[in-house]
């Protein structure tokens, strides 16, 4: 599922080049200490770079059905549930505001009512890791916002859309791929579709609105490949005799 070990990010880079992105516009860098050199370092120093994380979401819509009329629960569920998947791209240091993202997604899909006048229940949740990997074709923890196995519409956080360079998952753990933001947006427009809007909240400045629901970025799609370091208490010095 991941790219060649010898060539980090090779599969994604090839896909982007096949779509018309020039090799000189793509840079694959190691995440650890940003061990860059030469032209790659010049790209980082001379541009505003957005560190981007990509999450896969399940969007579902269920008609409200009278339980008294349900005969076959499974059959009724299949008839009254519609679902699809999307991806979001936002700053690595931000969290998704579920309320804002919900409004942004469903304002594009007001027709998800199955032709029924009964109001539908609309839900938005993170896709399971194995499903996210299957839909995108990339390993969890390094999923890019474009170039997926299954076309997934991209919802891009507006606050990072003006940055010159996007540092995205490369498809290889431990490496990021740098690409001009304008090129990423144009590629998404021509392939999977894109919507730019505001749906993030800063990790530091949390929203105080009771209606806002913040989704922690420490979900399994992001941190599963990495083990959390255990916190250790500093032992108190023993009294000298």
């Amino acid at each position: 599922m991941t790219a060649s070990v010898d060539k980090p990010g090779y599969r994604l880079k090839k896909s982007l080049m096949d779509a018309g992105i020039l090799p000189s516009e793509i840079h694959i860098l190691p995440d650890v200490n940003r061990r860059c050199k030469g032209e790659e370092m010049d790209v980082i120093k001379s541009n505003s770079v957005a560190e981007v994380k990509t999450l896969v979401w399940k969007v579902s819509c269920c008609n409200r059905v009278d339980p008294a009329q349900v005969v076959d629960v499974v059959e009724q569920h299949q008839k009254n549930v519609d679902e699809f998947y999307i991806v979001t791209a936002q700053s690595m240091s931000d969290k998704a505001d579920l309320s804002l993202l919900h409004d942004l997604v469903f304002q594009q899909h007001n027709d998800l009512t199955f032709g029924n006048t009964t109001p539908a229940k609309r839900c938005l949740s993170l896709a399971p890791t194995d499903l996210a990997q299957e839909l995108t074709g990339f390993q969890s923890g390094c999923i890019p916002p474009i170039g997926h196995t299954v076309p997934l519409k991209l919802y891009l956080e507006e606050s990072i859309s003006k940055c010159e360079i996007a540092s995205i998952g490369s498809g290889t753990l431990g490496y990021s791929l740098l690409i001009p933001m304008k090129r990423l947006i144009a590629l998404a427009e021509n392939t999977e579709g894109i919507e730019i809007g505001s749906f993030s909240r800063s990790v530091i400045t949390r929203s105080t609105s009771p209606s806002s629901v913040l989704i922690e970025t420490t979900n399994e799609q992001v941190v599963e490949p990495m083990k959390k370091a255990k916190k250790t208490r500093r032992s108190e010095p023993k009294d000298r005799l």
Side-chain angles (χ1 to χ4, degrees), residues 28-239:
I28 298 177
L29 309 177
D31 293 335
V32 180
N33 298 326
R34 286 296 190 191
R35 298 190 298 269
C36 323
K37 56 184 179 180
E39 181 183 353
E40 297 170 345
M41 181 60 74
D42 292 338
V43 170
I44 293 180
K45 288 183 177 180
S46 61
N47 297 278
S48 60
V49 179
E51 298 282 347
V52 179
K53 70 163 172 269
T54 302
L55 296 176
V56 183
W57 300 79
K58 174 183 176 182
V59 183
S60 57
C61 185
C62 308
N63 273 333
R64 303 182 188 280
V65 181
D66 184 356
Q69 299 178 356
V70 176
V71 178
D72 188 322
V73 177
V74 175
E75 180 181 356
Q76 193 67 44
H77 175 76
Q78 294 174 343
K79 289 182 178 179
N80 291 277
V81 176
D82 192 12
E83 62 185 38
F84 57 96
Y85 296 86
I86 63 170
V87 291
T88 57
Q90 62 187 129
S91 172
M92 190 69 72
S93 62
D94 286 349
K95 299 176 182 178
D97 185 313
L98 185 57
S99 178
L100 293 176
L101 182 57
H102 181 281
D103 292 344
L104 181 62
V105 172
F106 282 108
Q107 72 180 6
Q108 305 291 323
H109 299 281
N110 289 324
D111 57 331
L112 293 182
T113 58
F114 308 92
N116 195 323
T117 56
T118 305
K121 180 181 180 182
R122 298 169 176 179
C123 304
L124 185 66
S125 59
L126 284 168
T129 298
D130 56 347
L131 182 56
Q133 294 181 150
E134 181 180 352
L135 292 171
T136 62
F138 295 99
Q139 186 174 353
S140 174
C142 57
I143 296 175
I146 53 177
H148 307 134
T149 302
V150 176
L152 300 170
K153 184 172 183 178
L154 171 62
Y155 285 80
L156 177 65
E157 168 57 41
E158 186 175 16
S159 62
I160 64 172
S161 64
K162 302 300 181 183
C163 291
E164 295 179 70
I165 301 293
S167 176
I168 64 177
S170 68
T172 302
L173 288 175
Y175 290 83
S176 296
L177 184 144
L178 272 63
I179 181 174
M181 183 69 76
K182 290 183 179 180
R183 298 290 271 165
L184 185 150
I185 293 174
L187 186 58
E189 288 177 340
N190 295 329
T191 54
E192 300 163 324
I194 185 173
E195 183 74 23
I196 301 176
S198 298
F199 56 85
S200 294
R201 286 290 182 268
S202 171
V203 172
I204 299 176
T205 56
R206 292 172 175 265
S207 170
T208 56
S209 172
S211 61
S212 294
V213 181
L214 300 182
I215 297 297
E216 297 288 342
T217 59
T218 53
N219 61 82
E220 57 180 357
Q221 288 183 31
V222 178
V223 304
E224 186 184 37
M226 299 176 288
K227 294 183 179 180
K228 295 182 179 179
K230 295 183 178 180
K231 296 182 179 179
T232 57
R233 293 184 178 179
R234 179 178 298 177
S235 58
E236 296 180 0
K238 297 181 179 180
D239 294 335

